[in-house]
DNA sequence: TGTATTTGACCAGG
DNA sequence: CCTGGTCAAATACA
């Protein structure tokens, strides 16, 4: 359904664009929006095709079209949630018993890169490794509060081979730090303030442990305001993912690794502190289609480290790098 | 000068 | 033995 829909959507949008081009009264902004929607639509369609191929191999057959994006392939037979993305078997040295899930973030050239990949947590890079069979190296990050609060959360960031605009961010372990929220709340006024153009994003709070808003509420706003797709998340998972990506531009998809469920059970798979990230510590701004900007937050202290994920990779993108969100926004049938 | 990142070395699982 | 994951010294940066 989705693939055809996206193609049809792209076609229809193209027609609208033509109409706009012929209409002298239409604004450039409108045309640009249409153009971006078209691009997003086709990107999405291509992703579906690519991922479908992968999942077909992994699962022994497709189960119909991917619902909305390539990230649909979050249910491989093993606990390798990344495997569906074309990564070779990476089961070695996996921390058993640790919650592990993958988030796919797509970015597009010409848009804010850092913001799209960062997640609001404070990460420090501790390693990078070339992965066999992958064009791009994998970056290893750990929570910056590891030393202080003993937070053992780590994440791995890898650029997709098939789709260079997509990053697979695998989160391993849970955040046990309790002081993150304060950092984020005080985003403005940090050493990176020079990059800020507006206040902190609406959903930037770091909810490590001190979750004040119910996960469900967060999820709602997450989906509503940030145009994020939660896929393959049933209610239980939804409750386990209080995190809200901070960017309204990101196409973020979470995929729970089956291993989490196997090891811990669905209900306990993700402690409340386990938050899906998508914000940026480096104050970053990227324009959105609807005109206003979202500023990525930064930790208030000098302990800012969370690197712009995308910059860890040897690829070059426009300075202005925004997240591709339009195409993933519900546009109605 | 302090902090973050880079990168080669090391460790351990399969 | 190969590979992924981590460590830690070197380097870069503000």
């Amino acid at each position: 359904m989705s693939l055809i829909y996206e193609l049809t959507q792209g076609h229809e949008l193209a027609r609208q664009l033509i109409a706009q081009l012929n209409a002298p009264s239409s604004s450039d902004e409108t045309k640009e929006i249409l153009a971006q929607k078209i691009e997003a639509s086709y990107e999405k369609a291509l992703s579906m095709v690519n991922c479908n191929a992968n999942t077909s191999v992994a699962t022994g057959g497709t189960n119909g079209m991917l619902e909305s994006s390539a990230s649909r392939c979050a249910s491989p037979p093993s606990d390798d949630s990344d495997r569906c993305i074309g990564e070779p078997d990476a089961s070695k040295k996996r921390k058993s018993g640790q919650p592990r899930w993958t988030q796919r973030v797509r970015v597009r050239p010409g848009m804010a890169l850092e913001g799209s990949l960062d997640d609001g947590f404070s990460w420090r890079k501790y390693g990078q490794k070339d992965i066999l069979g992958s064009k791009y190296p994998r970056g290893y990050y750990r929570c910056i509060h590891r030393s202080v609060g003993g937070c053992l959360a780590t994440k791995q960031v890898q650029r997709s081979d098939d789709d260079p605009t997509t990053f697979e961010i695998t989160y391993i372990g849970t955040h046990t730090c309790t002081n993150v929220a304060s950092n984020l709340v005080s985003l403005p006024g940090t050493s990176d303030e020079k990059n800020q153009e507006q206040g902190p994003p609406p959903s930037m709070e770091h909810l490590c442990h001190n979750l004040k808003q119910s996960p469900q509420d967060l999820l709602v706003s997450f989906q509503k305001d940030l145009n994020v797709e939660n896929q393959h998340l049933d209610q239980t998972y939804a409750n386990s993912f209080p995190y809200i990506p901070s960017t309204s531009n990101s196409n973020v998809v979470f995929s729970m690794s089956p291993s989490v469920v196997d090891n811990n059970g669905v209900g306990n798979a993700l402690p409340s502190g386990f938050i899906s990230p998508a914000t940026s510590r480096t104050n970053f701004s990227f324009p959105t289609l609807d005109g206003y900007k979202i500023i990525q937050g930064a930790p208030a202290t000098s302990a800012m480290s969370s690197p712009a994920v995308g910059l860890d990779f040897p690829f070059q993108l426009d300075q202005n790098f925004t997240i591709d969100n339009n195409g993933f926004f519900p546009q109605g049938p």
Side-chain angles (χ1 to χ4, degrees), chain A residues 95-138:
Chain A
K95 295 176 180 178
S96 59
Q98 289 276 47
R100 181 189 182 94
W101 57 286
T102 300
Q103 171 183 326
R104 290 170 62 96
V105 177
R106 175 180 298 171
V107 294
R108 276 209 328 247
M111 309 182 137
L113 172 61
E114 296 189 22
S116 64
L117 295 176
D118 208 341
D119 50 27
F121 287 103
S122 298
W123 300 100
R124 173 165 297 165
K125 189 173 187 177
Y126 64 88
Q128 179 169 302
K129 191 89 174 164
D130 287 329
I131 301 302
L132 195 68
S134 296
K135 296 178 189 174
Y136 308 100
R138 175 179 299 166

Side-chain angles (χ1 to χ4, degrees), chain A residues 129-148:
Chain A
K129 191 89 174 164
D130 287 329
I131 301 302
L132 195 68
S134 296
K135 296 178 189 174
Y136 308 100
R138 175 179 299 166
Y140 297 90
Y141 301 83
R142 65 165 57 106
C143 180
I144 200 170
H145 301 104
R146 183 189 184 92
S147 56
V148 179

Side-chain angles (χ1 to χ4, degrees), chain A residues 244-264:
Chain A
I244 298 177
S246 65
T247 90
S248 62
N249 281 356
S250 57
N251 169 38
V252 184
V253 179
F254 304 110
S255 56
M256 172 62 77
S257 165
S259 67
V260 174
V261 177
D262 293 344
N263 294 332
N264 304 322

